[in-house]
Amino acid sequence: MKIIRLALSMCTTLFVINMAHSEPITIKTRSQMLSAISAGKYKSIENEVTWEASKTAVIIVDMWDDHWCPNAAKRVAEMAKPMNKVIKLARDKGMFIIHAPSSTVDFYKGTPARNRAINAPNSKPPKPLSKDVRWGTNWCWPDKFRETELPIDDSDMGCDCEEEFPIREAWSRQIETIEIDEQLDAITDNGLEAYNLLVKYKIENVILMGVHLNMCVLGRPVGIRQMVNIGKNVVLMRDMTDTMYNPKKRPFVNHFEGTDLVVKHVEKFWCPSITSTSITGQDPFVFKNNSQ
């Protein structure tokens, strides 16, 4: 028992030390605003915002180890290495990292990172959290009072492979490429656990990354809609995401153009976006097959 208490004390001390080394970060955000001169049309607006790193969390959504759609799985694997670099730098700057591999958190049962989420003191959210359920977790459906329909048709579940593949739960954990710091990070796919963590660590700002933007990054209980609804300052890291979009469906553009359309949907109706440049100081990530 003394050993366990000592280990927990060391983890807490390390977290406090990491927060103490945090410093302000300046991020360049992009939003879509209605044009004052072109009725019904939007234009991109860029701003610079400064956040305290110690009051900022990075939430990684559904970067699973596999997927029923092979092309989706390949893009996750391609993005995972640069994403891990972003996460490590964010952690070093003092940001709090939450890994959210939905429906697979039992894989991490008993680990310090999982226990950190479970054991965070209960707090009452400013608004009720969604109790609807989809795909193994609670779910925040599109808000018809806030947003229009998505600009892409994902009714076929969005796999862009030439061959059709059966939909199945192919994932068992987060992809191993993305490292979890057991002394500092947390693991959860639960909205209340996530909120409890944000309260405990005095988090005001949230950076969302992961997949898939048109589905889980928007809809999961740790995703954009939920984080905005509970009053956090939210941004999407737009070069660290992907969509489930099949170019054979409306609006019949290539996969990456479809993703860009969903990013702009988020920028119009939910939150600004940033790129990984805000953390790395380097060029944004681009998928190798994205020729745009």
Side-chain angles (χ1 to χ4, degrees), residues 74 93 100 118 121 131 177 183 185 193:
K74 289 175 184 176
K93 291 176 183 292
I118 294 171
K131 294 182 180 179
T177 310
Q183 296 176 326
D185 300 356
E193 287 181 359

Side-chain angles (χ1 to χ4, degrees), residues 16 21 45 70 112 143 151 162 180 220 235 253 265 281:
V16 171
H21 281 84
I45 303 293
D143 184 344
E162 287 299 320
I180 298 171
R220 291 288 188 188
V235 294
V253 296
H265 175 91

Side-chain angles (χ1 to χ4, degrees), residues 121-129 191-192 195-196 199-200 230 232:
N122 272 330
S123 299
K124 184 178 180 180
K127 292 183 179 180
L129 303 178
L192 183 57
Y195 182 72
N196 292 340
V199 172
K200 178 179 179 179
I230 61 174
K232 299 304 174 184

Side-chain angles (χ1 to χ4, degrees), residues 18 23-25 35 39 52 59 65 100 106-107 123 168 183 211 226 239 274:
N18 198 57
E23 56 188 41
I25 58 165
S35 172
E52 289 291 335
I59 301 180
D65 58 338
D106 283 349
F107 179 87
S123 299
R168 61 188 178 89
Q183 296 176 326
V211 297
Q226 189 72 89
D239 62 324
I274 63 172

Side-chain angles (χ1 to χ4, degrees), residues 13-136:
T13 301
L14 284 166
F15 188 88
V16 171
I17 290 172
N18 198 57
M19 294 297 101
H21 281 84
S22 72
E23 56 188 41
I25 58 165
T26 299
I27 58 177
K28 182 177 286 187
T29 67
R30 190 183 77 185
S31 302
Q32 301 295 321
M33 303 292 289
L34 278 170
S35 172
I37 57 176
S38 300
K41 293 189 177 181
Y42 286 81
K43 62 178 181 178
S44 295
I45 303 293
E46 291 190 346
N47 287 298
E48 284 193 350
V49 178
T50 299
W51 285 351
E52 289 291 335
S54 62
K55 296 181 180 180
T56 302
V58 175
I59 301 180
I60 305 110
V61 179
D62 291 359
M63 287 291 288
W64 289 314
D65 58 338
D66 201 359
H67 198 277
W68 62 267
C69 175
N71 280 355
K74 289 175 184 176
R75 285 190 293 270
V76 163
E78 181 184 351
M79 184 166 55
K81 185 175 180 179
M83 182 180 287
N84 188 57
K85 179 180 178 181
V86 173
I87 293 165
K88 289 174 72 173
L89 288 170
R91 188 186 293 116
D92 289 345
K93 291 176 183 292
M95 298 182 211
F96 183 43
I97 310 300
I98 300 176
H99 304 265
S102 301
S103 75
T104 71
V105 295
D106 283 349
F107 179 87
Y108 303 96
K109 185 177 181 179
T111 64
R114 179 71 189 110
N115 288 341
R116 189 166 290 113
I118 294 171
N119 296 330
N122 272 330
S123 299
K124 184 178 180 180
K127 292 183 179 180
L129 303 178
S130 175
K131 294 182 180 179
D132 290 342
V133 176
R134 188 188 195 195
W135 298 337

Side-chain angles (χ1 to χ4, degrees), residues 68-71 159-166 246 248:
W68 62 267
C69 175
N71 280 355
C159 186
D160 59 320
C161 295
E162 287 299 320
E163 181 183 347
E164 288 190 15
F165 291 89
N246 179 4
K248 294 178 182 178

